[in-house]
Amino acid sequence: MSTSLATYISLPGQTAEAFEHWHEVFGGRLNLLRYGDVPMEGMPFEPDPQAVAHVTLSLPGGELAGGDATDSKDYPIRDTAYSLLYTVESPEAARDLIGKLISGGGSENMPFENAPWGGWYGQAFDRFGVMWAFSVDAGESGESGEAAG
């Protein structure tokens, strides 16, 4: 097994819905395992059999992983202290993904425009409150000048 780094996110009771939505938006390969699908012997708690034990969404360039939160704490999801940064090959690809997140119940946080450091950058919240940041490197965009909206 090679070394890798994946983003892991727990959404209380919404992990399956979120990952299925992200799969619709971004494509990739989705692998979802519920607690009812695994042996429960030796578990230190008794989870809902429909709760997500582990899920992965493999995308070009990386992987998202997650599971349902198994405690009753209320964790804040929507915040600007973190984001999932996705660097894509073109402004058109980024605009398409942002549009899918917004049309799926999300909202724009920062318009997708030319970035002061070169290239393109923008942000959107999905309907689950997760902030997605999109970037296109300066040499990759093939576009120059003002951002098209």
Side-chain angles (χ1 to χ4, degrees), residues 23-79:
H23 184 239
E24 289 173 14
V25 170
F26 298 103
R29 190 176 67 247
L30 181 68
N31 184 11
L32 190 140
L33 182 67
R34 296 183 186 274
Y35 281 105
D37 299 330
V38 298
M40 299 302 286
E41 291 179 27
M43 287 287 238
F45 57 95
E46 193 169 323
D48 177 343
Q50 289 302 307
V52 175
H54 186 70
V55 60
T56 57
L57 178 59
S58 299
L59 301 170
E63 183 172 81
L64 294 175
D68 279 323
T70 56
D71 58 27
S72 60
K73 292 180 184 173
D74 186 24
Y75 295 100
I77 301 297
R78 187 179 175 104
D79 200 341

Side-chain angles (χ1 to χ4, degrees), residues 74-88:
D74 186 24
Y75 295 100
I77 301 297
R78 187 179 175 104
D79 200 341
T80 57
Y82 76 94
S83 64
L84 301 178
L85 176 62
Y86 201 35
T87 302
V88 295

Side-chain angles (χ1 to χ4, degrees), residues 7 39 67 93 106 120 122 130:
T7 299
W120 295 75
V130 175

Side-chain angles (χ1 to χ4, degrees), residues 90-123:
S90 71
E92 296 80 15
R95 287 188 195 105
D96 180 57
L97 294 171
I98 291 167
K100 288 178 181 178
L101 289 174
I102 292 170
S103 69
S107 62
E108 182 180 70
N109 189 53
M110 179 184 290
F112 185 76
E113 299 176 340
N114 285 113
W117 57 86
W120 295 75
Y121 182 82
Q123 301 168 345

